[in-house]
Amino acid sequence: FAVPVSTTVSIGRDKSCNIILNHQKVSRLHCIVYAAPEGGYQVMDYSSNGTYVNGALIQKNIPFNACSGQCVAIGRSGNVFQLN
């Protein structure tokens, strides 16, 4: 799924999300990914089950600066994607 620069993509179970994942461990709005114009990404967790970047749990409601090549896991659902 392409994330254009300066765009935010929402991930969750809710039908209003850009990426919809139907899994009991995925929150309605689980997280968002923002592609920064200066490069890199910001990942923001809003979930009950956590969002992980390269295996480390990120803090809820605090932007996490991520780099291309890092993996983002949506809770413990097995849904993992790599930022490119």
Side-chain angles (χ1 to χ4, degrees):
F1 188 91
V3 181
V5 173
S6 298
T7 301
T8 300
V9 172
S10 57
I11 302 168
R13 280 193 341 251
D14 194 271
K15 291 183 184 353
S16 66
C17 291
N18 300 107
I19 299 174
I20 301 169
L21 301 173
N22 188 17
H23 190 282
Q24 64 192 24
K25 295 289 184 180
V26 176
S27 297
R28 280 185 219 112
L29 173 59
H30 198 94
C31 67
I32 60 168
V33 176
Y34 172 73
E38 61 276 357
Y41 300 89
Q42 283 189 341
V43 181
M44 179 90 81
D45 175 51
Y46 296 106
S47 71
S48 300
N49 292 304
T51 300
Y52 299 78
V53 176
N54 279 0
L57 179 66
I58 65 171
Q59 291 184 317
K60 191 172 184 174
N61 298 317
I62 298 176
F64 180 87
N65 292 320
C67 301
S68 183
Q70 291 186 306
C71 292
V72 178
I74 307 301
R76 298 279 184 197
S77 66
N79 291 297
V80 179
F81 60 92
Q82 185 176 29
L83 300 169
N84 290 323

